[in-house]
Amino acid sequence: MPENEDHYGKHGEPRKYDPSFKGPIQNRSCTDIICCILFILAILSYIVLGILAWSQGDPRKVIYPTDSSGQFCGQVGTPLQNKKFLFYFNILKCASPMVLLAFQCPTTQLCVEECPNRPLTLGTAKLVTNDWTYYKKFCKEDPGEMSAADILKNGLCPSMLIPSKPFTQRCFPALGKMKGVVTVGNKTTFEDGEGKRREASELLPAYCLFFHSALVIATILSLVFIVLLRFLAGIMVWVMIAMVLIVITYGIIHCSFMYVNLKETPGANVTLKELGFQMDLSMYLHIRQTWLAFAIILAIVELIVILLLIFLRKRICIAIALIKEASRAIGHVMFSLIYPLLTFFLLAIIIAYWAITAVFLSTSNEPVYRVFNQANEKCIYANQTCNPECPKTECLFTFYGGETAYHKYLIVLQFYNLFLFFWCANFVTALGQMTLAGAFASYYWAFDKAQDMPACPVFASLGRALRYHTGSLAFGSLILSIIQVIRVLLEYLDHKLKANAFSQNKFAKFLLCCLKCCFWCLEKLIKFLNRNAYIMVAIYGKNFCVSARDAFFLLMRNVIRVAVLDKVTDFLLFLGKLLIVGLVGVISFFFFSGRSKVLDLVPNLHYYWVPILTIVIGTYFIAHGFFSVYAMCVDTLFLCFCEDLERNDGSAERPYFMSPKLHEILSKSTEGRKGK
């Protein structure tokens, strides 16, 4: 007993038995009012910032690419409305370090109707009439009868044309594409089975249909998985573990097969370092070293998972018991599965507002022109500002800037925009956590689940959170937002100092790296503390600081259970998300890569990794949304379980609210751990 008394003395006093306590307190008052007022003022200032940005900005600078004269390509109502694409005279100059210094490729840029689709040089094009007619489409003006040398000297035309494809309305070199036409088996048409020849591009709607279908499949898989957990938690967990291992194993086998299969392919033995960066990322899939790297990464991941399963095999059985309890809770609060849609909707609004404001802020500048050196010439006025109407100079549009106070403090406004974005996004996330915590706490502390639970626990909890605890939500999200902004500032500082002599200072680099690591850890810690603090606020209605302290002390008094149970459950739920993402990713790969046998006619995409990656990311967010409900349920039930042990002793006068089986498993696991 003295040892227990000393333990409790360090981490607060345990909860006392209270016969009137039946879950979330109904009679509560507003908490953290000052933070609530600050948050409201911040929202109002955010609206003012948006109005200021929208009145000064010009989003056309982002929507439309800009040529060397600062004119917008493809803008309706201008002479360039049919010239939607930006063409670079010498795309190789865009790889110059000058780009980082001047924020612009030091080459002439021209708005064109289409990107080049054939390789030509200026010298050869002038020899053939048709080629020369085509070539002049990419000249600043008609050179007439000028020689090739004079044309290049005056910078009227590019020295060569490279087959290109449009990307964000800019012409970039295209590798492995047949004149910009979608192909099926290297052919632009295909037989539809009815004796008709069809254009390959007609098959593209099938891709759009599959893209949306894949996201629907991800949603259905997540729902089915959660429903099965409700009734078959034990079986589903072990099936999930086996399926994750099978999916990863398949990935290893497929990567190994590709590595061996490319052995005799010409050019496949080129190293990634020799290949360098390529615009066409599919080029990497033709290199053996790429598949070897994939196989090694997957093998390491599978080894880590297997080792964790070996060491956590006993704890997994314990975690399954808590998952079963969470399944029963979600069964009584089914609307909790729909609540993430509200969080997604609010976050989508916040992200859209931040992005639009950031675009308008970044485009509320005046065009700045600078002198660039010509080939084999050095101008004494290089990099100085100039007037584009002045002849005899290579005066190119560089970037948008200005000398007014507003323009000078644009970077400050951008960081303020980012800070308010973090604060609002964290507030919405915190609101969802507190709402679900209150609903699941109502379930746990209802002795008779049918009679004691409120009619609409989610709506009741949401109402309490907004009415009484907006300030507490704002307080917790403010702390997290400040840390996140500091992390962004450190990244910004690191980026700025890389081009400075300061970056050569090893001690400075080490110090900056340590700061980034420390703030990353601090952010994870604050998220953990906030999450548990919101649970305590939802239950007892106290302010944020008191709730955070109570949650921390409660966890410290049950630190063994936290290590044994809570984190193992999080690991199992993570495997569930990994399984859904893996299954949808494999299905997408077979479809978009042309390996699917379900459809006989599948177009051959050169960039099939783009839709696959998009679907995988979308699937992860969908799965995360549904599994976050389970995770919040588990965390809430875990804290309630710890308090239940302190409040009650299992007697007839003070019975436990948890199920007898859950109490038996958790008590045995803790006793066994202490015995060791």
Side-chain angles (χ1 to χ4, degrees), residues 197-487:
R197 302 294 299 179
R198 307 287 295 274
E199 294 292 330
S201 57
E202 296 180 34
L203 289 173
L204 289 179
Y207 280 101
C208 299
L209 177 62
F210 182 82
F211 180 83
H212 294 95
S213 300
L215 297 181
V216 173
I217 291 172
T219 305
I220 295 175
L221 279 177
S222 300
L223 282 172
V224 170
F225 196 89
I226 289 176
V227 171
L228 290 177
L229 276 179
R230 168 69 179 86
F231 300 101
L232 303 169
I235 297 175
M236 283 301 298
V237 168
W238 291 111
V239 169
M240 172 187 69
I241 293 173
M243 289 293 292
V244 168
L245 294 177
I246 290 174
V247 170
I248 297 177
T249 302
Y250 167 77
I252 295 173
I253 294 174
H254 178 78
C255 293
S256 302
F257 173 79
M258 293 299 297
Y259 175 75
V260 174
N261 197 39
L262 290 172
K263 184 176 181 180
E264 303 299 331
T265 304
N269 292 313
V270 176
T271 64
L272 294 174
K273 185 177 181 180
E274 293 173 340
L275 183 63
F277 176 76
Q278 299 292 330
M279 291 297 301
D280 184 4
L281 297 185
S282 64
M283 292 289 294
Y284 295 105
L285 300 181
H286 299 287
I287 305 301
R288 297 183 70 209
Q289 199 175 82
T290 302
W291 294 103
L292 178 62
F294 286 161
I296 292 174
I297 292 172
L298 290 175
I300 293 174
V301 170
E302 183 159 33
L303 179 62
I304 292 174
V305 172
I306 292 174
L307 290 176
L308 287 174
L309 292 174
I310 292 174
F311 287 109
L312 301 176
R313 63 188 184 280
K314 293 183 179 179
R315 301 178 188 179
I316 288 175
C317 298
I318 304 169
I320 288 174
L322 189 56
I323 290 178
K324 288 181 178 179
E325 192 68 24
S327 300
R328 282 190 283 270
I330 292 176
H332 284 81
V333 192
M334 287 299 293
F335 193 78
S336 61
L337 294 176
I338 304 177
Y339 184 84
L341 297 178
L342 175 61
T343 301
F344 285 154
F345 175 72
L346 294 177
L347 286 177
I349 294 176
I350 293 170
I351 292 172
Y353 187 89
W354 164 77
I356 293 173
T357 303
V359 167
F360 274 87
L361 282 174
S362 62
T363 58
S364 55
N365 286 311
E366 300 297 329
V368 176
Y369 300 86
R370 285 183 177 175
V371 176
F372 284 92
N373 288 322
Q374 294 283 351
N376 301 323
E377 295 182 7
K378 290 187 178 181
C379 179
I380 59 174
Y381 301 106
N383 295 323
Q384 294 185 14
T385 56
C386 58
N387 187 342
E389 297 179 359
C390 179
K392 300 182 181 180
T393 61
E394 188 66 14
C395 191
L396 302 180
F397 167 77
T398 305
F399 62 92
Y400 289 95
E403 299 298 330
T404 66
Y406 172 77
H407 293 129
K408 289 181 179 179
Y409 290 100
L410 270 179
I411 185 65
V412 177
L413 294 178
Q414 284 284 24
F415 272 106
Y416 185 64
N417 178 37
L418 183 66
F419 166 71
L420 291 178
F421 163 72
F422 281 141
W423 197 358
C424 294
N426 289 328
F427 179 88
V428 169
T429 303
L431 176 62
Q433 292 174 346
M434 187 179 291
T435 299
L436 294 176
F440 293 130
S442 299
Y443 162 83
Y444 186 93
W445 295 109
F447 199 80
D448 186 344
K449 309 302 182 188
Q451 299 294 329
D452 298 340
M453 282 188 63
C456 300
V458 174
F459 286 108
S461 180
L462 177 62
R464 288 194 300 268
L466 290 175
R467 181 178 178 182
Y468 298 109
H469 307 303
T470 300
S472 297
L473 294 169
F475 192 7
S477 55
L478 173 62
I479 297 173
L480 181 59
S481 301
I482 292 174
I483 295 173
Q484 290 173 332
V485 169
I486 292 175
R487 289 192 61 201

